[in-house]
Amino acid sequence: MSTTQRLWRWRSNPLRRREDVFEAWIVLVVWVLAVAGGALAGLVTARAAEDEYAEQRAHRHAVRAVLVSDAPRDLTVDGSPDGRVQGSVRWAAPDGTSRTGHTPVDGGLKAGARLTVWLDDRGRLVLSQPPGRVRSDVEAALFGAAAVLAVAVPVFGAGAVARAQLDRRRMAHWDQEWGLVGPRWGPKT
């Protein structure tokens, strides 16, 4: 398709209707909003996710802990689909005091088992270790792609609705014109 065929709605033409010009503007605005808005939303979201993961890596620390009581093996008792259950653990805080808390542990562990838990800068337990660099980059890219879709899909949807309205208006005008011209042709057609 040549450039002149694609841009026919922009050219001066005696057969061009107002709806054709509106449609050309709608298509232009939809593409600009979808591309520019989607790119901006994707970049901002990916950057925010990268910053969040970097902050988690900087502020979470691994410490050794001891399981205080046996962890149940039965997944129906306070369990999760990945086989981890809530277990009571004890660890030494940076100031040397002993602390206890609850965190997900592998089911079936016996009391006294040594394991690694993750703490924030205040010494509080966090549920998981921070994601690695590769995993956080992949997740940030996926969040960015989702943001692009979250902007582009509604914009394209609104453009499609607007173009459908224009098509209805064109069909109504064609129907009116056919009502004027059709009877003049008589029974010959």
Coordinates of all heavy atoms in Angstrom, one line a residue, residues 63-68 88-102 117 119-125:
V63 N 20.3 -14.2 58.1 CA 20.9 -14.6 59.4 C 20.6 -16.1 59.6 O 19.6 -16.6 59.1 CB 20.4 -13.8 60.6 CG1 20.8 -12.4 60.5 CG2 18.9 -13.9 60.7
R64 N 21.4 -16.8 60.5 CA 21.1 -18.2 60.8 C 20.1 -18.2 62.0 O 20.2 -17.4 62.9 CB 22.4 -18.9 61.2 CG 23.5 -19.0 60.1 CD 23.0 -19.8 58.9 NE 22.9 -21.2 59.3 CZ 22.3 -22.1 58.5 NH1 21.9 -21.8 57.4 NH2 22.2 -23.3 58.9
A65 N 19.2 -19.1 61.9 CA 18.2 -19.3 62.9 C 18.0 -20.7 63.3 O 18.5 -21.6 62.5 CB 16.8 -18.7 62.5
V66 N 17.3 -21.0 64.4 CA 17.1 -22.3 64.8 C 15.6 -22.5 64.9 O 14.9 -21.6 65.5 CB 17.7 -22.6 66.2 CG1 17.4 -24.0 66.7 CG2 19.2 -22.4 66.1
L67 N 15.1 -23.6 64.4 CA 13.6 -23.9 64.5 C 13.3 -24.3 66.0 O 13.9 -25.2 66.6 CB 13.3 -25.1 63.6 CG 11.8 -25.4 63.3 CD1 11.1 -24.1 62.7 CD2 11.7 -26.6 62.4
V68 N 12.3 -23.6 66.6 CA 12.0 -23.8 68.0 C 11.2 -25.1 68.2 O 11.4 -25.8 69.1 CB 11.3 -22.6 68.5 CG1 10.8 -22.8 69.9 CG2 12.2 -21.3 68.4
S88 N 8.1 -21.6 64.1 CA 8.6 -20.6 65.1 C 10.1 -20.8 65.1 O 10.7 -21.9 65.2 CB 8.1 -20.9 66.5 OG 8.6 -20.0 67.4
V89 N 10.8 -19.7 64.9 CA 12.3 -19.7 64.8 C 12.9 -18.7 65.8 O 12.2 -17.7 66.2 CB 12.8 -19.3 63.4 CG1 12.4 -20.4 62.4 CG2 12.3 -18.0 62.9
R90 N 14.2 -19.0 66.2 CA 14.9 -18.1 67.1 C 16.2 -17.7 66.4 O 16.9 -18.6 65.8 CB 15.1 -18.8 68.4 CG 15.8 -17.9 69.5 CD 16.0 -18.6 70.8 NE 16.7 -19.9 70.7 CZ 16.2 -21.1 71.0 NH1 14.9 -21.2 71.4 NH2 16.8 -22.2 70.8
W91 N 16.6 -16.4 66.6 CA 17.8 -16.0 66.0 C 18.4 -14.9 66.9 O 17.8 -14.4 67.8 CB 17.6 -15.4 64.6 CG 16.9 -14.1 64.5 CD1 17.4 -12.9 64.5 CD2 15.5 -13.9 64.5 NE1 16.4 -11.9 64.5 CE2 15.2 -12.6 64.5 CE3 14.4 -14.8 64.6 CZ2 13.9 -12.0 64.5 CZ3 13.1 -14.3 64.6 CH2 12.9 -12.9 64.5
A92 N 19.7 -14.6 66.7 CA 20.4 -13.6 67.5 C 20.3 -12.3 66.7 O 20.7 -12.2 65.6 CB 21.8 -14.0 67.7
A93 N 19.8 -11.3 67.4 CA 19.8 -9.9 66.8 C 21.2 -9.3 66.7 O 22.1 -9.8 67.4 CB 18.8 -9.0 67.6
P94 N 21.4 -8.3 65.9 CA 22.7 -7.7 65.8 C 23.2 -7.2 67.2 O 24.4 -7.2 67.4 CB 22.5 -6.5 64.9 CG 21.3 -6.8 64.1 CD 20.4 -7.7 65.0
D95 N 22.3 -6.9 68.1 CA 22.8 -6.4 69.5 C 23.1 -7.6 70.4 O 23.4 -7.4 71.6 CB 21.8 -5.4 70.1 CG 20.4 -6.1 70.3 OD1 20.3 -7.3 70.1 OD2 19.5 -5.4 70.8
G96 N 22.9 -8.8 69.9 CA 23.2 -10.0 70.7 C 22.0 -10.6 71.4 O 22.1 -11.7 72.0
T97 N 20.9 -9.9 71.4 CA 19.7 -10.5 72.1 C 19.0 -11.6 71.3 O 19.1 -11.6 70.1 CB 18.7 -9.4 72.4 OG1 18.2 -8.8 71.2 CG2 19.2 -8.3 73.3
S98 N 18.4 -12.5 72.0 CA 17.7 -13.6 71.3 C 16.3 -13.1 70.9 O 15.6 -12.6 71.8 CB 17.6 -14.8 72.2 OG 17.0 -15.8 71.6
R99 N 15.9 -13.4 69.7 CA 14.5 -13.0 69.3 C 13.9 -14.3 68.7 O 14.5 -15.1 68.1 CB 14.6 -11.9 68.2 CG 15.1 -10.6 68.8 CD 14.8 -9.5 67.9 NE 15.4 -8.3 68.4 CZ 15.5 -7.2 67.8 NH1 15.1 -7.1 66.5 NH2 16.0 -6.1 68.3
T100 N 12.5 -14.3 68.7 CA 11.8 -15.3 68.1 C 10.7 -14.7 67.2 O 10.3 -13.6 67.4 CB 11.1 -16.2 69.1 OG1 10.2 -15.4 69.9 CG2 12.1 -16.9 70.0
G101 N 10.3 -15.5 66.2 CA 9.2 -15.1 65.3 C 8.7 -16.2 64.5 O 9.3 -17.4 64.6
H102 N 7.8 -16.0 63.6 CA 7.2 -17.0 62.8 C 7.5 -16.7 61.3 O 7.4 -15.5 60.9 CB 5.7 -17.1 62.9 CG 5.3 -17.6 64.3 ND1 5.3 -18.9 64.7 CD2 4.8 -16.9 65.4 CE1 4.9 -19.0 65.9 NE2 4.6 -17.8 66.4
V117 N 17.1 -17.3 57.7 CA 15.9 -16.4 57.6 C 16.4 -15.0 57.2 O 17.6 -14.7 57.3 CB 15.2 -16.3 58.9 CG1 14.6 -17.7 59.3 CG2 16.1 -15.8 60.1
L119 N 16.1 -10.8 57.4 CA 15.6 -9.7 58.3 C 15.8 -8.4 57.5 O 16.6 -8.3 56.6 CB 16.5 -9.6 59.5 CG 16.6 -10.9 60.4 CD1 17.6 -10.6 61.5 CD2 15.2 -11.3 60.9
D120 N 14.9 -7.4 57.9 CA 15.1 -6.1 57.3 C 16.1 -5.3 58.2 O 16.7 -5.9 59.2 CB 13.7 -5.4 57.2 CG 13.0 -5.1 58.5 OD1 13.7 -5.3 59.6 OD2 11.9 -4.8 58.5
D121 N 16.3 -4.1 57.9 CA 17.3 -3.3 58.7 C 16.9 -3.1 60.1 O 17.7 -2.8 61.0 CB 17.4 -1.9 58.0 CG 18.2 -2.0 56.7 OD1 18.9 -3.0 56.5 OD2 18.1 -1.0 55.9
R122 N 15.6 -3.2 60.5 CA 15.2 -3.1 61.8 C 15.2 -4.4 62.6 O 14.8 -4.4 63.8 CB 13.7 -2.5 61.9 CG 13.6 -1.1 61.3 CD 12.2 -0.7 61.4 NE 12.1 0.7 60.8 CZ 10.9 1.2 60.5 NH1 9.8 0.6 60.8 NH2 10.9 2.4 60.0
G123 N 15.6 -5.4 62.0 CA 15.7 -6.7 62.6 C 14.4 -7.5 62.6 O 14.3 -8.5 63.3
R124 N 13.5 -7.1 61.8 CA 12.2 -7.8 61.7 C 12.3 -8.9 60.6 O 12.9 -8.7 59.6 CB 11.1 -6.9 61.4 CG 10.8 -5.9 62.5 CD 9.7 -4.9 62.1 NE 10.1 -4.2 60.8 CZ 9.5 -3.2 60.3 NH1 8.5 -2.7 60.9 NH2 10.0 -2.6 59.2
L125 N 11.6 -10.0 60.8 CA 11.5 -11.1 59.8 C 10.8 -10.6 58.6 O 9.8 -9.9 58.7 CB 10.8 -12.3 60.4 CG 11.6 -13.2 61.3 CD1 10.7 -14.3 61.8 CD2 12.7 -13.9 60.5

